[in-house]
Amino acid sequence: MTRIALGSAVLRGTVATALMASLTSTSALGAPPVDLSKWSPEYVRSIAGTQDFDTAADCAKVTPLDYKGRLTFWYQGVFEGDPDLLRQYYKEFFETFRKTYPNIQLEEQALTYNDLLDKFRTALLGNAAPMAVRLQILGGTEFASKGYLQPLKPEDVGYSTEDFWPGAMKAVTWEGVTYGIPTNNETMAFIWNADIFKRAGLDPDKAPATWEDVVKYSKQIHDKLGIAGYGLVARKNAGNTPYRFMPQLWAYGGGVFDEATANPTYEQVQLDSPQSKAALQASYDMYVRDKSVPVSALTNQQADNQPLFVAGQLGMMISHPSDYNVMLDLQKKATGTDKDKAQTVIDNMRYGLIPTGPDGKRAVVFGGSNIHILKPEYVEGGKVDEPAAKAIICMWTSPEWSLKMAYAGSNPGNLNGFKTKWMKERLDNIKFLDVTTSMLPYGIPFPALPQAPEIMNIIIPDMLQNALTGAMTVDEAADDAAKKVKDLMGGL
Amino acid sequence: MTIVTGKAEARRRLQPGWSGALRKIWEHRADYAYVLPAIAVMLIVIAYPIYYTVELSFFKTPPGLQLRDKTFIGFDNYTTILTSQVFWKVTWNTLIWTLGSTFISFVLGFATALALHRDFIGRGVLRAILIIPWVISAVAASYIWKWIYHSDFGVIGAVLVGRGLADQPPNFIDNVSTVLPSLIVVNIWREFPFAMIMMMAGLQTVPDQLLRAAKVDGANAWQRFWHVTFPHLRNVSVVTMLLLAVANFNSFIIPWIMTGGGPSNASHIWITHIYELAFGRQRWGVASAYSVLLFLTLMTLGYFYVRALSGNERKEGSA
């Protein structure tokens, strides 16, 4: 799909979900630095590189550069599925912070997505948490609702609330109070191997339009070539699973609650609705009926699908913006004929929008991370060095660093990041960035509820596993999951 | 004139009562001082957590609230666990996991020890090689085995398909029927060297003259093993199996890393289920009650372990 064709498709609006209004609505806030209503690949290109920012000068207004203090900081860092480029930027960020604030003694600790919540919860129980933490978007509400976090809004570190995606701000807001600042926000797209499509008799330059097409294409690829068609992921306690199943669930018109609507109330559990069951049935059809997806889907993660894809053993999958760079890294590490095979796959990689449901609804998880400051009573030593915490938060959420730290894998949480020269450079260097950026308006945040991590990391994967292993029928698995959510919301 | 004998003095010293006990402590004050730091550490890192876990098991800890907002509910957490279908499924998994791993590891370790007990060229090298699985990090071993078993591009599957022995790679860990046996194989691979070492040590205590005498009396190899060797190894066998059983009840790393308890709870054992309840779902109260049940089970095994050890000592003392 060419950039222009993609842009036109987006501008035509395909079938925009009601959530688009939710994500981009700014009526209650003020004017954001970019015009979200014009969001398209062309618009993003037009604003890139139009403004310069001086991060050190901006942050000096929040915390003087000669401030002397100490900060303990945990963050969701890079993991095995991330590209090397991201590692370099993380390293560079901490080096720059230490140069900018030479008198702040920073004790940072990186944790992977799947470990961070468990470790952070445990630390909180023992009042041994760090002073500041960067959590996945799913986690903020849980800790805010329990009273662990200090109120913190963009204005506290020199920015405006309007500088951030309204949808992202919802994820850091609990009962009307803001408890954190988004660092980055991303949506995924759809990736396929054009060569595999061609050999399977499919149009190599056309992504499946609907999820029903995905089921059909997956079977065709498997039947004709004997390889996996679609990269299903259903492991429990792994963030990859909800990020890949929820777009399917929402596209079919289902949901855990009404989180896919403009103003969700989270009152009615919808996992047992016919639409949700239809989405689950599609996964069942691919895994059980057609056997057209990796058998390892029940225990694998996206990091397992990446080598399958680059080895030419997988036709298509939902893809993180960083996957193109990951494939390049994997190709560099390959040896002998594998290197050439991997290069062929990379040459045949195509990115497109995530398919729609039967009614034309397109959806994707609005992902990302937020940064928070803890209350002193839960921190080791009972003290929080607020100026030091605000210094690192100001820097990380600045237009410059929120862009650089999301260079290969996400998008800047601070919308001004889209205006920087690094965004322009990034659009030229990171292939297919247009596509993943184009999915942003279709992004749906996870329910902003304290129970969301358990729902997304345990109940949803359990539902998938129960159906895909035959432990339950599709109907039973959906009903069982709905009951678990109801019990959870009822305090059981 | 009363003559105080040594025995009478000893009786006086050991007389029951508070003052006797205090005197005894005072006499051994140096010994107590030596072990005091260790006892203090144990109280902090073992006794208090046990007490707190037992206490927490009687409280409801809603996942949406902080732990300090817990409410007393008596034995409700225990009732919740014991009436839960998942608990019984996980308990069955735990029994299969523990008994299967323990028994097969022991038999394999014992057989290997017997084989290595005989003198042959390369025995030392072979012994060193066989110990490798036991010294490898469990985390590293789990990841390696996960890739060996991988249902799409695992080594075993590739070899079988490559040699035409199977049409498609076998499904080891993505199938509810095969996942637990597959994990047990990994666990046995990792811990049979421990049984082997224990039994090799035991074999060295079997009196050679008895074996020679049995041979002179016409006993064949099996009779010498069954009537001479094995009785001598009974206690070390019991101790080895109890240690393996305790380790297997507590074995977290292999099932958690390889499958996370899945698919569909098919490889959850008590310890992984407790972890998920506590840290994944924040049901601290239920998880604590579950932990108390595990603690009682392990204490029972511990009792038999200590009894087996004491039996050994008594036997040695009377010999």
Side-chain angles (χ1 to χ4, degrees):
Chain A
M1 191 181 284
T2 64
R3 194 172 286 140
I4 293 166
L6 177 73
S8 305
V10 173
L11 287 172
R12 277 199 303 276
T14 349
V15 181
T17 61
L19 191 96
M20 198 161 176
S22 156
L23 277 173
T24 57
S25 164
T26 56
S27 56
L29 304 168
V34 297
D35 190 346
L36 298 175
S37 66
K38 289 184 182 171
W39 201 258
S40 72
E42 289 77 15
Y43 177 70
V44 173
R45 278 195 174 272
S46 74
I47 59 170
T50 57
Q51 200 170 337
D52 288 327
F53 297 91
D54 185 341
T55 306
D58 289 343
C59 292
K61 293 173 198 160
V62 177
T63 302
L65 300 183
D66 59 354
Y67 177 78
K68 194 175 178 183
R70 175 181 167 268
L71 178 67
T72 51
F73 177 56
W74 290 2
Y75 64 100
Q76 179 210 319
V78 288
F79 82 121
E80 69 267 27
D82 286 323
D84 290 340
L85 192 61
L86 201 60
R87 286 183 182 82
Q88 289 165 23
Y89 272 115
Y90 270 69
K91 196 177 161 201
E92 198 183 308
F93 172 78
F94 289 108
E95 283 171 1
T96 308
F97 180 80
R98 287 191 165 92
K99 276 183 197 159
T100 311
Y101 286 98
N103 300 320
I104 293 179
Q105 185 195 334
L106 175 67
E107 294 164 24
E108 77 272 27
Q109 195 176 132
L111 295 152
T112 63
Y113 186 99
N114 295 335
D115 296 328
L116 178 56
L117 284 181
D118 289 357
K119 181 161 179 172
F120 187 55
R121 285 172 186 147
T122 312
L124 285 167
L125 290 177
N127 299 334
M131 296 175 196
V133 64
R134 175 182 175 246
L135 292 171
Q136 52 262 57
I137 199 165
L138 198 56
T141 318
E142 175 188 329
F143 300 106
S145 71
K146 289 183 179 179
Y148 290 124
L149 306 178
Q150 289 193 36
L152 174 73
K153 55 187 187 302
E155 284 73 9
D156 297 331
V157 292
Y159 306 115
S160 305
T161 298
E162 293 75 33
D163 290 340
F164 298 83
W165 284 93
M169 290 308 299
K170 280 184 186 173
V172 289
T173 304
W174 177 249
E175 294 182 340
V177 180
T178 308
Y179 288 95
I181 302 171
T183 56
N184 60 291
N185 294 105
E186 75 268 355
T187 46
M188 298 195 186
F190 204 79
I191 184 178
W192 75 95
N193 180 327
D195 179 49
I196 289 177
F197 268 42
K198 194 175 172 186
R199 286 191 284 125
L202 298 164
D203 184 342
D205 291 317
K206 202 174 159 194
T210 65
W211 279 102
E212 282 169 5
D213 286 345
V214 173
V215 177
K216 205 165 66 184
Y217 285 24
S218 186
K219 181 173 171 18
Q220 194 164 328
I221 290 168
H222 179 260
D223 291 352
K224 289 217 171 174
L225 306 176
I227 60 174
Y230 173 65
L232 189 79
V233 176
R235 186 184 166 99
K236 199 152 86 167
N237 279 314
N240 295 148
T241 303
Y243 271 86
R244 277 152 191 81
F245 181 68
M246 295 308 289
Q248 193 177 324
L249 187 70
W250 290 324
Y252 272 89
V256 177
F257 305 97
D258 57 350
E259 69 273 10
T261 59
N263 295 300
T265 57
Y266 309 127
E267 283 171 3
Q268 186 83 31
V269 176
Q270 295 183 6
L271 268 178
D272 50 357
S273 70
Q275 292 87 346
S276 295
K277 287 178 179 175
L280 185 57
Q281 183 69 45
S283 293
Y284 177 89
D285 289 347
M286 286 189 279
Y287 191 84
V288 182
R289 187 192 68 190
D290 302 338
K291 296 181 173 46
S292 67
V293 296
V295 182
S296 56
L298 303 181
T299 45
N300 72 6
Q301 306 182 59
Q302 183 66 0
D304 299 300
N305 277 340
Q306 289 163 345
L308 268 183
F309 188 88
V310 83
Q313 295 297 308
L314 182 61
M316 54 189 165
M317 59 186 180
I318 287 187
S319 173
H320 199 266
S322 65
D323 273 348
Y324 180 74
N325 282 68
V326 172
M327 298 301 165
L328 291 178
D329 290 345
L330 289 171
Q331 192 270 345
K332 279 181 204 156
K333 287 169 191 162
T335 54
T337 53
D338 286 348
K339 207 174 184 70
D340 296 333
K341 280 183 194 167
Q343 188 56 52
T344 306
V345 171
I346 290 168
D347 293 341
N348 281 284
M349 264 177 84
R350 301 287 185 274
Y351 264 78
L353 301 182
I354 287 181
T356 66
D359 298 331
K361 185 181 274 186
R362 195 190 307 280
V364 66
V365 175
F366 188 79
S369 301
N370 313 310
I371 204 160
H372 310 273
I373 299 180
L374 277 292
K375 285 184 180 169
E377 57 265 40
Y378 304 110
V379 170
E380 197 168 11
K383 282 181 189 169
V384 169
D385 190 332
E386 277 191 40
K390 284 181 178 171
I392 203 165
I393 291 172
C394 173
M395 201 153 154
W396 196 314
T397 57
S398 66
E400 177 187 356
W401 284 103
S402 72
L403 184 286
K404 284 183 176 175
M405 300 292 268
Y407 197 91
S410 186
N411 286 295
N414 189 326
L415 291 165
N416 283 304
F418 286 98
K419 293 179 172 177
T420 62
K421 60 183 176 188
W422 298 287
M423 181 66 198
K424 194 171 171 59
E425 176 192 292
R426 189 174 170 240
L427 281 165
D428 295 332
N429 292 346
I430 308 291
K431 215 173 170 185
F432 305 118
L433 187 64
D434 285 356
V435 190
T436 50
T437 309
S438 300
M439 282 300 302
L440 276 166
Y442 298 99
I444 297 176
F446 285 127
L449 294 169
Q451 295 87 348
E454 180 172 344
I455 293 170
M456 293 300 159
N457 293 339
I458 295 176
I459 296 176
I460 293 288
D462 256 347
M463 176 179 79
L464 274 163
Q465 293 199 349
N466 284 335
L468 303 187
T469 58
M472 294 180 186
T473 64
V474 167
D475 280 354
E476 286 168 352
D479 292 343
D480 176 68
K483 184 181 177 303
K484 283 176 183 164
V485 174
K486 284 173 193 165
D487 287 347
L488 179 65
M489 300 307 291
L492 290 178
Chain B
M1 185 178 169
T2 309
I3 299 168
V4 180
T5 63
K7 274 187 180 177
E9 175 62 14
R11 261 201 308 276
R12 189 185 63 77
R13 282 187 182 178
L14 293 175
Q15 66 183 308
W18 189 234
S19 60
L22 282 177
R23 193 179 307 118
K24 204 173 172 191
I25 289 171
W26 178 248
E27 284 169 3
H28 291 276
R29 59 191 178 281
D31 302 336
Y32 286 110
Y34 292 139
V35 297
L36 193 61
I39 289 174
V41 171
M42 283 180 73
L43 282 173
I44 294 166
V45 302
I46 298 177
Y48 178 71
I50 289 172
Y51 158 76
Y52 189 57
T53 303
V54 173
E55 186 198 357
L56 209 53
S57 72
F58 297 111
F59 285 85
K60 183 179 182 181
T61 56
L65 298 174
Q66 284 195 26
L67 202 52
R68 66 184 176 198
D69 300 319
K70 60 187 185 290
T71 47
F72 184 79
I73 53 167
F75 284 92
D76 280 7
N77 285 329
Y78 292 91
T79 312
T80 303
I81 292 168
L82 295 172
T83 54
S84 148
Q85 275 187 339
V86 177
F87 170 76
W88 292 108
K89 183 179 180 180
V90 172
T91 301
W92 181 242
N93 289 346
T94 310
L95 285 173
I96 293 172
W97 164 267
T98 305
L99 296 177
S101 300
T102 302
F103 183 71
I104 301 173
S105 294
F106 174 75
V107 170
L108 198 60
F110 194 2
T112 316
L114 285 169
L116 290 175
H117 190 58
R118 296 159 67 178
D119 201 15
F120 59 89
I121 295 168
R123 184 173 72 153
V125 175
L126 194 58
R127 195 160 47 192
I129 289 171
L130 287 171
I131 290 171
I132 288 174
W134 191 48
V135 296
I136 282 181
S137 140
V139 174
S142 301
Y143 278 110
I144 290 166
W145 274 95
K146 196 180 165 192
W147 285 97
I148 290 173
Y149 276 152
H150 201 284
S151 306
D152 293 298
F153 46 93
V155 177
I156 297 175
V159 169
L160 292 177
V161 172
R163 291 185 176 271
L165 297 170
D167 295 335
Q168 53 190 14
N171 186 348
F172 291 108
I173 54 175
D174 290 277
N175 181 306
V176 288
S177 310
T178 54
V179 62
L180 197 57
S182 302
L183 297 189
I184 289 173
V185 168
V186 179
N187 199 33
I188 291 166
W189 169 83
R190 230 189 84 73
E191 66 183 16
F192 89 88
F194 170 74
M196 180 187 83
I197 292 167
M198 293 289 283
M199 298 315 288
M200 279 168 69
L203 281 168
Q204 287 171 12
T205 66
V206 180
D208 209 32
Q209 62 270 32
L210 274 183
L211 288 166
R212 280 201 300 270
K215 200 172 181 179
V216 169
D217 287 343
N220 61 26
W222 170 250
Q223 286 169 329
R224 290 198 300 277
F225 168 75
W226 190 247
H227 294 292
V228 181
T229 306
F230 192 67
H232 269 89
L233 296 176
R234 191 178 299 142
N235 285 318
V236 72
S237 300
V238 170
V239 168
T240 303
M241 287 186 76
L242 282 169
L243 285 175
L244 285 172
V246 169
N248 288 326
F249 251 109
N250 267 322
S251 182
F252 174 80
I253 296 172
I254 291 171
W256 188 255
I257 288 182
M258 290 186 67
T259 62
S264 201
N265 295 326
S267 62
H268 253 321
I269 55 175
W270 275 18
I271 194 80
T272 56
H273 200 213
I274 288 170
Y275 180 84
E276 184 183 293
L277 281 168
F279 299 97
R281 301 177 57 197
Q282 300 169 85
R283 305 297 201 282
W284 308 106
V286 177
S288 296
Y290 219 137
S291 301
V292 171
L293 295 177
L294 176 62
F295 175 70
L296 292 174
T297 307
L298 291 177
M299 285 302 285
T300 308
L301 287 174
Y303 166 76
F304 286 113
Y305 170 67
V306 172
R307 224 176 101 162
L309 278 182
S310 314
N312 277 351
E313 282 167 11
R314 274 198 301 275
K315 206 173 172 186
E316 280 162 17
S318 62

